[in-house]
Amino acid sequence: MKIVIPGGSGQVGTLLGRAFRRDGHEVVEFSRNPSRSRPWRVVAWDGESLGPWAAELEGADAVINLAGRSVNCRYTPENRCAITQSRVASTRVIGKAIAQAARPPRVWLQAATATIYCHRFDAANDEARGILGGSEPGVPDTWNFSVGVATAWERAAAEAGPLPSTRLVLMRTSIVMNPDPGSAFDVLLTLVRFGLGGRASNGRQYVSWIHEIDFIRAVNWILAHPDLSGPVNLAAPNPLPNAAFMQGLRRAWGAPLGLPAAAWMLEIGAFFLRTETELILKSRRVIPTRLLESGFHFTFPEWPAAASELCERWRAGKESAPR
Ligand SMILES: NC(=O)c1ccc[n+]([C@@H]2O[C@H](COP(=O)([O-])OP(=O)(O)OC[C@H]3O[C@@H](n4cnc5c(N)ncnc54)[C@H](OP(=O)(O)O)[C@@H]3O)[C@@H](O)[C@H]2O)c1
């Protein structure tokens, strides 16, 4: 297949690109910095206006749009604007390019986020019965902002209008866990290694996650299943409360204990790290009903086994890294 990945230079694009190449597919990345050295062809685009890049979609098998300014920052007015605009504009322009293509791609996988669902503890959110966020009483304004971004992002894809030859899938993805330096897993493991991997706040809030192997397998599954369109949750079927999640990680690493962190400590830490606490404190209880009903089996449905495998590879990576 020829698979075009706008915004493919980041964490998720690199995971997918490597896997597609290993499977013998042609990968083309769209980037605002096309001079970066990558193992596949990189084509310049600005993420907001039509250009010569659109020709790459002609006859392509799939487009997987991952573009968007990182959300790992303080939600200042400037960053809020960039987070929203980069997603809405890039999604709109991909929709336009597909709509005007003579031979459009058969499938458009659009990055979206499991953050679109509400903060809840009582039951899990799936695609059919899940409650979207944004109207929970008393949640911080930053959480509502993220739901607003997620909603505007999906709307921008829907506004491409009917695309008779292209199947659109909105990938509502939870945190993708992989052992690469700088990844969410790497950050969490760093806390555990320094004895700080206890529960966050009261530890009741749910963590939704997906192992990178299952993420790549799920993307391939979606590409191969023409019956899947619209929102699809990419999350392991067993989200768990933060306290159990951190305990699973400590056990996998072999850390006897981890200091818990109160919400106010996390707020101070996040301020100095120039990030937000939403990722840790919002209860994300999301399950992948559509994937499961379509027959998808997870290699890592449970966190303890996923955490052990990730710790093992993290250690192996450190041992093989040049000193
Ligand atoms: N990682 C996760 O666990 C996760 C979970 C749920 C959803 N997602 C979503 O999936 C997408 C990919 O995730 P990721 O972790 O790979 O993100 P990432 O590492 O931040 O990469 C996103 C890419 O978007 C491009 N980009 C940044 N700012 C842009 C702008 N202003 N306009 C156009 N493009 C811009 C960048 O490519 P260039 O600099 O090369 O142009 C960057 O490499 C993101 O939209 C993210 O929100 C990720």
Side-chain angles (χ1 to χ4, degrees):
M1 289 193 285
K2 176 181 177 184
I3 303 173
V4 180
I5 314 184
S9 61
Q11 187 212 359
V12 172
T14 302
L15 291 179
L16 288 177
R18 276 191 217 139
F20 290 145
R21 284 254 306 193
R22 233 178 4 244
D23 293 344
H25 301 304
E26 177 190 356
V27 173
V28 179
E29 175 184 309
F30 291 171
S31 171
R32 295 160 310 149
N33 298 304
S35 56
R36 256 193 228 124
S37 164
R38 301 286 283 159
W40 40 75
R41 202 152 57 81
V42 182
V43 171
W45 82 326
D46 64 2
E48 51 190 36
S49 47
L50 286 170
W53 58 264
E56 293 289 340
L57 300 189
E58 294 288 345
D61 294 280
V63 55
I64 305 180
N65 180 25
L66 304 172
R69 191 231 185 274
S70 170
V71 294
N72 187 13
C73 58
R74 291 298 283 179
Y75 291 172
T76 60
E78 295 75 27
N79 287 345
R80 286 181 189 225
C81 186
I83 287 169
T84 310
Q85 278 315 308
S86 58
R87 285 174 172 72
V88 169
S90 58
T91 303
R92 274 198 189 131
V93 80
I94 289 293
K96 269 190 204 157
I98 294 174
Q100 70 169 36
R103 287 177 302 129
R106 283 184 286 112
V107 52
W108 169 15
L109 266 54
Q110 174 56 48
T113 169
T115 297
I116 199 164
Y117 294 108
C118 71
H119 166 70
R120 75 190 292 191
F121 303 87
D122 59 331
N125 286 312
D126 73 2
E127 301 90 343
R129 289 165 293 273
I131 302 173
L132 300 186
S135 53
E136 305 95 309
V139 304
D141 145 71
T142 45
W143 300 11
N144 286 333
F145 162 71
S146 295
V147 172
V149 173
T151 309
W153 205 3
E154 293 196 1
R155 198 184 309 124
E159 280 168 7
L163 300 168
S165 309
T166 304
R167 170 166 62 96
L168 170 62
V169 178
L170 302 163
M171 300 191 294
R172 291 182 177 169
T173 307
S174 58
I175 308 168
V176 180
M177 295 292 180
N178 77 91
D180 289 349
S183 65
F185 177 80
D186 185 40
V187 172
L188 291 167
L189 189 59
T190 302
L191 293 176
V192 165
R193 286 167 45 233
F194 288 100
L196 300 170
R199 63 167 197 277
S201 187
N202 63 22
R204 286 179 53 235
Q205 69 280 21
Y206 276 75
V207 182
S208 269
W209 56 278
I210 183 167
H211 190 291
E212 64 167 326
I213 289 176
D214 282 326
F215 175 76
I216 293 165
R217 289 181 58 245
V219 168
N220 276 303
W221 180 267
I222 293 169
L223 289 175
H225 282 77
D227 46 322
L228 283 170
S229 62
V232 176
N233 293 345
L234 277 78
N238 297 295
L240 67 177
N242 168 278
F245 178 88
M246 293 310 294
Q247 185 187 52
L249 185 52
R250 290 197 306 274
R251 284 201 178 136
W253 182 254
L257 40 94
L259 284 181
W264 64 267
M265 293 178 189
L266 295 168
E267 291 297 345
I268 293 173
F271 178 80
F272 285 107
L273 293 172
R274 307 311 294 154
T275 188
E276 296 284 347
T277 53
E278 180 195 358
L279 202 64
I280 298 176
L281 296 181
K282 177 171 173 178
S283 188
R284 296 150 190 271
R285 195 169 178 182
V286 178
I287 54 167
T289 299
R290 293 199 64 205
L291 277 178
L292 294 173
E293 283 180 350
S294 70
F296 183 78
H297 290 280
F298 281 78
T299 304
F300 293 99
E302 306 277 355
W303 175 238
S308 294
E309 195 273 349
L310 290 164
C311 284
E312 218 169 276
R313 276 198 294 140
W314 191 95
R315 280 194 165 105
K318 285 286 162 214
E319 278 159 18
S320 61
R323 287 169 204 274

